[in-house]
Amino acid sequence: MNSSRFAFGRLSLLTWVFATCLLSVSAAAVATDVPPAQGLQQRNQLLSQVASLSQLQFFWHYQGKWRGNADAPRLSEFLQSIPNAEQVYWPSAQLFQLDAPELASVETLRSEVAEQLRLLTLAHPDDPLLAAKLMQLRTQVQSWLLGKPLHEALEPGLAYNQAKYNPQLSAGRYVLQASARPKTLQVLGLGGVFELQFEPQQPAYEYQSSLLRQQALLPEQLQLLLPSGVVKTIPIADWNRSEQPLDITALVFVPIPDVYLTAETAQLNQQLLQLVAYRVKP
Amino acid sequence: MNLTFPRIVGIVLSLSLFGCSGVWESNYAMFEYLLATPDDETLTNEELAQRPVPAMYIRRDDRGQFVLDFSGTIAGVDYWRAKGNGMVALHESRLVRALGFELSLQSVQGVGYRPLPVVTIATPVGSAFSWLSDWAVPEYQGQLSHSEITAKNPAELTLQGQVVRTMQLQETVTFADGSQFINQYWFDAQSGKLLRTIQKPAGFWHQLDMIFISRIELPSLAADALSTSGVTP
């Protein structure tokens, strides 16, 4: 394999050293807690870290550091430049673009969701626990770092060997979300995103008791958001439950039960699911 | 290369499917045919020497063997590609991907934060391993397997007409469903390279017999050609 084809082939050593030194220190703060309503500011801060290095077309943030390529690579070239790639669990890896134009409309969606959560909180003055969880969810939504997900399968061998899985990436600023195989599921529900111990092959409905500790009341079905962008619905109520297990690669969305929703917040679940697809995990 | 009449007919039929079914499925139509064919595909030493990239024979269960080409080491994993876009991949000696099968193996990883355990010529008898495999459907995610090296003996292997001295290791694997299988590895006694392995990654799945024919030291003509290929699996 000709390694000179990949990643940093056309990046001058001097520029690379400068960019790495400049950015690695400030990027270390990326994964730390963000105060409420700071998600957009966080993205802008991240982007500002590389704004001055306009001679590079393609930047990506991974493991606390920005890295750059002179030109936007093909997906296979990009994947082959990932450090410690053999430790990555590729089925759940995702790539997000932080400066995609469509994120402006996603920010509008975020504002709408936050407003609906505020209205829903006001609609339940006699249920302080529910109101607290709704406000907690609202705070999280406002702090999410949002990016445009690339819905291609991030499987290095597939990208390298098959043209249809190897798109040309566009110039821009990206975040690679990739880690070792997770032991826990990411769940979004009342109160925001939390983690749940993953039990392989266990039907989804058997997670009900664990979910109830967080949610108080469960909907009739869960929705699974896969890295590909596909949404799967799994019924879990006593009268409709299926034997389907949860998926370790998915984000599990626990919709807010209909009994809590009002006429003006009827679209909240759908909008939350749309919005969380853009969430970059801290 | 032996292209028998049934094999040619099968390949033509498979190619014809490209225009009339979903891209993903049709991409693998020929691979499915190759996996099922009863005939062995073989390469002469001359054909092997002339190939631009290293080759492997692969056999699913008791079906015929066919040739895969080495496509590269990507993210620490050696990928081998078949006609029809099927692929298998190994991390050192361990099978970690099998794509294009009716149920594809997506990932094999160590348990927790431990690295994936692999077997080498130096692995002693009694070594014990655990790993998790994930498959293309959630019903088969997180399959936990345990294994132990239960035998290690010198053995002769005849490959491409050459008798090779090897060290054969047997790994007794216990799968999540309680079933067992004995994985086998033959390492070149001199170089330590893996020459052949038979592995079954889950109790519900197939066994694959993989022979790394380009790693065999061939007579001088073939060896010269191989050494100029510039590719090492």
Side-chain angles (χ1 to χ4, degrees):
Chain A
M1 177 187 333
N2 184 357
S3 60
S4 65
R5 291 173 54 205
F6 305 121
F8 309 112
R10 294 174 34 190
L11 178 66
S12 78
L13 182 62
L14 191 60
T15 307
W16 168 242
V17 169
F18 173 72
T20 303
C21 295
L22 182 69
L23 302 172
S24 58
V25 175
S26 52
V30 167
T32 59
D33 288 341
V34 177
Q38 294 299 306
L40 179 57
Q41 289 178 27
Q42 184 188 3
R43 178 153 56 89
N44 290 336
Q45 279 173 8
L46 265 177
L47 291 174
S48 70
Q49 291 168 359
V50 287
S52 61
L53 299 170
S54 57
Q55 70 273 31
L56 302 181
Q57 294 286 309
F58 186 84
F59 281 101
W60 47 289
H61 192 268
Y62 178 55
Q63 292 184 334
K65 283 184 182 175
W66 278 106
R67 300 149 205 267
N69 295 41
D71 297 310
R74 283 206 168 268
L75 181 60
S76 61
E77 296 167 349
F78 169 67
L79 293 176
Q80 288 183 74
S81 67
I82 309 300
N84 304 317
E86 65 279 6
Q87 295 164 14
V88 169
Y89 183 65
W90 292 108
S92 61
Q94 278 193 281
L95 186 63
F96 293 89
Q97 187 178 357
L98 291 183
D99 55 358
E102 74 180 69
L103 289 176
S105 62
V106 179
E107 285 299 338
T108 305
L109 176 63
R110 188 210 306 253
S111 300
E112 288 173 11
V113 168
E115 176 60 10
Q116 289 197 56
L117 285 168
R118 190 184 69 83
L119 293 173
L120 195 56
T121 306
L122 294 174
H124 294 282
D126 52 347
D127 191 341
L129 183 62
L130 175 63
K133 284 192 173 291
L134 288 168
M135 288 310 290
Q136 205 178 333
L137 174 58
R138 182 173 184 268
T139 303
Q140 269 206 17
V141 163
Q142 290 182 308
S143 70
W144 285 347
L145 175 64
L146 300 178
K148 178 189 173 188
L150 180 80
H151 287 313
E152 293 291 339
L154 296 189
E155 165 33 62
L158 213 52
Y160 184 76
N161 283 291
Q162 296 191 28
K164 77 180 285 275
Y165 298 109
N166 190 23
Q168 171 67 51
L169 299 173
S170 55
R173 277 63 173 144
Y174 292 79
V175 171
L176 175 64
Q177 182 180 281
S179 60
R181 189 182 187 281
K183 294 177 188 170
T184 55
L185 291 157
Q186 292 262 312
V187 184
L188 171 64
L190 284 171
V193 175
F194 59 96
E195 292 188 347
L196 201 60
Q197 185 65 35
F198 176 62
E199 303 294 342
Q201 295 103 49
Q202 178 171 284
Y205 64 82
E206 290 193 8
Y207 289 87
Q208 283 188 81
S209 57
S210 304
L211 290 171
L212 276 169
R213 278 183 228 124
Q214 298 278 344
Q215 304 298 299
L217 184 63
L218 290 178
E220 294 171 358
Q221 57 198 24
L222 301 177
Q223 289 183 296
L224 269 54
L225 175 62
L226 298 166
S228 61
V230 170
V231 174
K232 281 172 59 180
T233 299
I234 302 184
I236 57 166
D238 288 345
W239 57 271
N240 71 350
R241 69 189 190 188
S242 86
E243 295 295 317
Q244 292 178 75
L246 298 180
D247 187 325
I248 189 66
T249 67
L251 178 129
V252 180
F253 177 52
V254 187
I256 299 170
D258 290 344
V259 294
Y260 292 147
L261 297 178
T262 60
E264 56 193 346
T265 59
Q267 301 301 312
L268 179 56
N269 281 324
Q270 188 185 342
Q271 291 186 326
L272 256 175
L273 189 57
Q274 283 175 1
L275 183 64
V276 77
Y278 291 87
R279 171 181 171 261
V280 183
K281 280 186 219 163
Chain B
M1 186 185 306
N2 293 334
L3 279 176
T4 60
F5 181 71
R7 184 181 292 274
I8 293 169
V9 170
I11 289 172
V12 170
L13 284 174
S14 299
L15 281 171
S16 69
L17 293 174
F18 275 69
C20 58
S21 64
V23 174
W24 178 274
E25 290 78 9
S26 64
N27 268 353
Y28 292 121
M30 189 191 295
F31 188 54
E32 280 296 324
Y33 171 76
L34 291 170
L35 289 166
T37 184
D39 303 322
D40 279 350
E41 182 181 16
T42 55
L43 298 173
T44 65
N45 286 348
E46 289 72 25
E47 287 171 330
L48 184 57
Q50 287 164 10
R51 292 178 83 86
V53 293
M56 168 212 281
Y57 288 145
I58 190 167
R59 183 192 305 276
R60 182 179 70 171
D61 301 324
D62 59 353
R63 309 307 291 173
Q65 73 178 18
F66 58 97
V67 176
L68 300 189
D69 286 327
F70 178 66
S71 72
T73 301
I74 307 158
V77 172
D78 292 337
Y79 283 85
W80 298 81
R81 180 179 177 175
K83 303 180 200 76
N85 287 330
M87 273 186 289
V88 298
L90 291 98
H91 175 65
E92 299 186 29
S93 60
R94 179 80 67 198
L95 179 69
V96 293
R97 309 256 204 295
L99 306 174
F101 292 78
E102 75 282 12
L103 176 60
S104 290
L105 172 61
Q106 286 193 320
S107 169
V108 176
Q109 298 225 332
V111 178
Y113 296 107
R114 277 168 282 181
L116 175 67
V118 294
V119 178
T120 71
I121 192 171
T123 304
V125 172
S127 301
F129 306 119
S130 297
W131 66 90
L132 285 168
S133 61
D134 286 321
W135 300 77
V137 295
E139 283 77 2
Y140 293 104
Q141 278 183 347
Q143 298 280 322
L144 180 62
S145 298
H146 303 284
S147 75
E148 183 179 348
I149 300 299
T150 46
K152 182 176 182 178
N153 296 298
E156 284 190 344
L157 203 58
T158 302
L159 301 170
Q160 297 296 113
Q162 315 292 312
V163 177
V164 186
R165 288 193 311 111
T166 69
M167 186 62 73
Q168 182 186 7
L169 279 78
Q170 294 190 345
E171 178 186 38
T172 302
V173 187
T174 305
F175 300 112
D177 60 7
S179 63
Q180 287 194 322
F181 185 77
I182 297 178
N183 285 346
Q184 298 190 71
Y185 304 83
W186 288 263
F187 294 97
D188 187 300
Q190 284 195 319
S191 68
K193 288 180 182 174
L194 181 66
L195 296 181
R196 181 184 182 191
T197 180
I198 301 174
Q199 296 184 35
K200 183 168 176 159
F204 54 79
W205 210 68
H206 308 281
Q207 69 178 62
L208 295 182
D209 184 352
M210 294 167 278
I211 301 174
F212 303 88
I213 44 177
S214 292
R215 295 177 184 167
I216 300 161
E217 199 167 319
L218 296 172
S220 57
L221 172 65
D224 288 347
L226 276 177
S227 68
T228 57
S229 68
V231 184
T232 52

